[in-house]
């Protein structure tokens, strides 16, 4: 059985995979520290609070009642057993989705053949990623991940969280131009959520 650090399980969701009724598994740990993150408790790597066997037991009972399962985070590609976990989920007959920012292209490449849909968080223009993530070179990792997902043929939903203190209109236009150059559609905008965000300055920003 796969070893996944599970920090949370939403048993029924209609928002984590548009148009699908899913269970969503939240993984512990993320290598990036995005200022607008609304799940800061999931950033530190470490053991989960829910056993993977418990997740699988729940999914066994929900066969025929859910359309699929989404693995989210944190950052799920931090989990070295992600592909194994996806295989176990698919063996139960579920479709599989993933939320990722793409920091680990090699692990994502192993997972891609086991995925039906990916919600990809495009943080910024590739050259400005560290403004959001705090990690130099993170934009190159995201670009590599987007290219491999494009080439895999998996359904891809690029989306960008917008906060006026972090991304300007020019930044958003550049994001879409860079995606277009890769043969990908524009990113879907999603508003910043102050709830859960540890950066009080962002939460207090006028218009946020």
């Amino acid at each position: 059985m796969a070893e996944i650090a599970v920090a949370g399980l939403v048993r029924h969701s209609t928002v984590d995979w548009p148009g699908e009724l899913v269970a969503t598994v939240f993984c512990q740990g993320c290598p990036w520290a995005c200022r607008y993150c609304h799940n800061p408790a999931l950033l530190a790597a470490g053991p989960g609070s829910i056993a993977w066997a418990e997740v699988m037991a729940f999914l066994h009972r929900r066969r025929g009642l859910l359309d699929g399962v989404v693995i989210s985070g944190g950052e799920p590609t931090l989990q070295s057993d992600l592909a194994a976990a996806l295989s176990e989920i698919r063996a139960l007959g579920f479709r599989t989705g993933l939320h990722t920012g793409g920091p680990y292209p090699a692990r994502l490449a192993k997972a891609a053949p086991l995925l039906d849909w990916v919600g990809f968080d495009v943080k910024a223009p590739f050259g400005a990623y560290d403004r959001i993530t705090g990690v130099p070179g993170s934009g190159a990792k995201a670009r590599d991940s987007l290219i491999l997902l494009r080439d895999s043929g998996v359904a891809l939903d690029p989306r960008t969280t917008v906060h006026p203190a972090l991304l300007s209109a020019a930044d958003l236009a550049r994001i879409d131009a860079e995606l277009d150059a890769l043969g990908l559609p524009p990113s879907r905008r999603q508003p910043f959520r102050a709830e859960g965000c540890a950066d009080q300055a962002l939460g207090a920003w006028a218009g946020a």
Side-chain angles (χ1 to χ4, degrees):
M1 181 170 285
E3 294 186 10
I4 299 290
V6 179
L9 173 64
V10 173
R11 297 169 187 268
H12 301 91
S13 172
T14 58
V15 299
D16 289 315
W17 183 345
E20 305 288 336
L21 175 62
V22 301
T24 305
V25 177
F26 291 89
C27 298
Q28 183 68 45
C30 182
W32 295 345
C34 300
R35 288 183 59 192
Y36 52 62
C37 181
H38 62 270
N39 282 325
L42 301 184
L43 295 181
S49 57
I50 302 173
W52 180 247
E54 182 179 336
V55 174
M56 291 300 293
F58 164 75
L59 294 178
H60 270 280
R61 298 192 300 270
R62 306 314 286 176
R63 284 180 292 180
L65 301 174
L66 295 171
D67 299 319
V69 179
V70 172
I71 309 292
S72 188
E75 171 50 55
T77 61
L78 181 67
Q79 307 296 319
S80 59
D81 264 6
L82 175 62
L86 291 168
S87 292
E88 292 175 12
I89 292 168
R90 291 177 74 90
L92 295 180
F94 293 107
R95 300 176 69 221
T96 52
L98 184 76
H99 292 170
T100 185
Y104 298 105
R107 288 182 185 165
L108 186 57
K110 293 179 180 178
L114 301 164
L115 291 167
D116 297 293
W117 173 86
V118 174
F120 195 100
D121 294 315
V122 181
K123 307 290 187 179
F126 297 127
Y129 252 61
D130 57 344
R131 182 199 313 165
I132 307 295
T133 67
V135 178
S138 49
K141 298 290 188 182
R143 186 178 187 277
D144 288 347
S145 291
L146 281 166
I147 290 171
L148 74 87
L149 288 173
R150 176 201 66 191
D151 294 346
S152 76
V154 64
L156 181 62
D157 177 22
R159 65 269 183 100
T160 299
T161 297
V162 179
H163 191 294
L166 300 176
L167 293 175
S168 66
D171 288 325
L172 295 174
R174 186 176 166 199
I175 288 171
D176 288 346
E178 291 180 345
L179 291 174
D180 182 68
L182 297 179
L184 295 171
S187 72
R188 177 170 57 86
R189 313 305 194 215
Q190 54 188 23
F192 163 75
R193 289 171 50 188
E195 180 183 0
C197 179
D199 192 318
Q200 296 182 357
L202 288 185
W205 186 275

